[in-house]
Amino acid sequence: MFGTKVHLMGICFLNRLEKDTRFSYFMTRTIKLICVTLFAVHSAACFYYWIAAHHHISQDTWIGSIIENFEDRSIWLGYTYSMYWSIVTLTTVGYGDLHAVNTGEKVFNIFYMLFNIGLTSYLIGNMTNLIVHGAVRTFIMRDSINEILRYASKNRLPEGLKQQMLAHMQLKFKTAELQQEEVLEDLPKAIRSSIAQHLFRKTVEKTYLFKGISEDLSRQLVVDLKAEYFPPKVEVILQNEIPTDFYIIVSGGMVYNLSQLKFILDVVYLS
């Protein structure tokens, strides 16, 4: 009885712990599934032993037919046999060395085996969900890369262009946790503005072109900035293309054409 209360308290505690973001959901969920399994096995074992202990003929029970005068033996011996039977039944191994003898035990076995069908489905479904959830980003990345390869092959794209597409896709998944655009979209404008100020304010202030500008203009510029990542050897701005974006290089380097750079600076100054 004490062990049952401990299991119930542990499961209730893990239910609250699952909602706490400070702890790993995978670990807390896994521990909870283990506790649920142990609770079911322990409860069934205790009740099965109770049926045998309260039967009027001890030899006409599942444990009395194997161990004579089991009531006078250690309670841990009976608990060990009960847990062994419960685990064997739960896992559907069915060795047959411990089996129901009287009608009451057979009825209990029927309901316990039917209960095990639902419990096993619950455990397998939750473990599958945890494993798939942990690998879902890998599956999406592999599917995206396969789509790019099929598209490049179907349209007979040059090898260099195909490699640029693959490099960009791989970099996108590597830096997905740094961008988190979908998270920011759900936040109010004031919070998004404060986040942008925290992330990009110092970058703008260190940029040579924006040195000496007013604080209000700096705040307006920072709000419209967003982080973007490019793999090596990728053209950011094509030659003779009218630029619509302004880039500040935070890390890495860029090779540029002088005539193209002059055109871009003319557009910036004119606008």
Side-chain angles (χ1 to χ4, degrees):
M1 198 68 182
F2 175 75
T4 302
K5 290 182 179 179
V6 171
H7 278 99
L8 285 174
M9 291 175 61
I11 293 172
C12 293
F13 174 73
L14 288 170
N15 280 332
R16 294 194 297 268
L17 206 62
E18 272 185 322
K19 301 174 184 178
D20 195 331
T21 56
R22 294 176 298 175
F23 300 94
S24 170
Y25 177 78
F26 179 86
M27 291 302 300
T28 53
R29 189 69 177 176
T30 302
I31 296 173
K32 178 185 175 182
L33 294 176
I34 295 174
C35 289
V36 169
T37 305
L38 292 176
F39 172 73
V41 170
H42 167 78
S43 301
C46 292
F47 191 77
Y48 201 48
Y49 183 80
W50 181 88
I51 293 176
H54 288 76
H55 195 68
H56 57 281
I57 303 176
S58 61
Q59 290 79 11
D60 190 25
T61 60
W62 65 273
I63 189 172
S65 60
I66 299 175
I67 304 175
E68 295 182 0
N69 301 322
F70 68 91
E71 304 99 326
D72 301 329
R73 308 286 290 273
S74 172
I75 188 66
W76 291 108
L77 177 67
Y79 182 73
T80 302
Y81 273 80
S82 299
M83 284 293 291
Y84 168 75
W85 165 85
S86 184
I87 294 174
V88 168
T89 305
L90 175 66
T91 56
T92 66
V93 174
Y95 290 121
D97 50 349
L98 296 177
H99 58 277
V101 176
N102 56 65
T103 304
E105 294 173 351
K106 292 178 181 179
V107 172
F108 175 74
N109 279 359
I110 291 172
F111 284 102
Y112 183 54
M113 285 185 283
L114 291 175
F115 167 77
N116 285 342
I117 295 175
L119 178 61
T120 304
S121 301
Y122 169 78
L123 295 175
I124 294 176
N126 276 270
M127 291 305 298
T128 303
N129 183 49
L130 288 175
I131 295 172
V132 171
H133 179 74
V136 65
R137 290 188 67 253
T138 303
F139 293 152
I140 294 175
M141 183 184 72
R142 292 178 64 90
D143 290 341
S144 301
I145 291 176
N146 289 332
E147 288 292 334
I148 289 176
L149 292 175
R150 283 194 293 267
Y151 179 84
S153 177
K154 183 178 180 180
N155 293 277
R156 299 179 180 178
L157 298 180
E159 185 65 23
L161 185 57
K162 183 176 72 173
Q163 293 300 326
Q164 289 184 13
M165 294 168 64
L166 292 175
H168 175 75
M169 186 59 63
Q170 291 173 353
L171 184 63
K172 176 184 176 182
F173 280 97
K174 288 180 181 178
T175 59
E177 296 181 355
L178 299 176
Q179 293 178 315
Q180 296 289 326
E181 296 294 336
E182 65 279 2
V183 176
L184 298 179
E185 290 176 357
D186 297 331
L187 298 176
K189 184 178 181 180
I191 297 179
R192 294 201 306 268
S193 177
S194 299
I195 293 174
Q197 297 293 331
H198 174 74
L199 294 177
F200 306 122
R201 184 70 179 273
K202 292 182 179 179
T203 302
V204 172
E205 291 176 351
K206 292 179 181 179
T207 304
Y208 177 79
L209 185 62
F210 299 125
K211 285 185 177 181
I213 63 174
S214 63
E215 186 176 348
D216 292 338
L217 179 57
S218 176
R219 288 182 177 273
Q220 294 178 10
L221 289 173
V222 169
V223 171
D224 294 329
L225 288 180
K226 66 177 182 178
E228 195 164 354
Y229 302 86
F230 296 95
K233 300 179 181 180
V234 172
E235 293 181 338
V236 178
I237 301 176
L238 297 178
Q239 189 172 0
N240 300 326
E241 180 185 22
I242 299 176
T244 57
D245 298 316
F246 185 85
Y247 295 93
I248 300 176
I249 303 176
V250 178
S251 63
M254 179 179 291
V255 178
Y256 52 85
N257 186 299
L258 291 176
S259 60
Q260 183 182 4
L261 179 62
K262 181 179 182 303
F263 174 72
I264 293 173
L265 292 175
D266 289 340
V267 172
V268 172
Y269 288 134
L270 289 174
S271 59

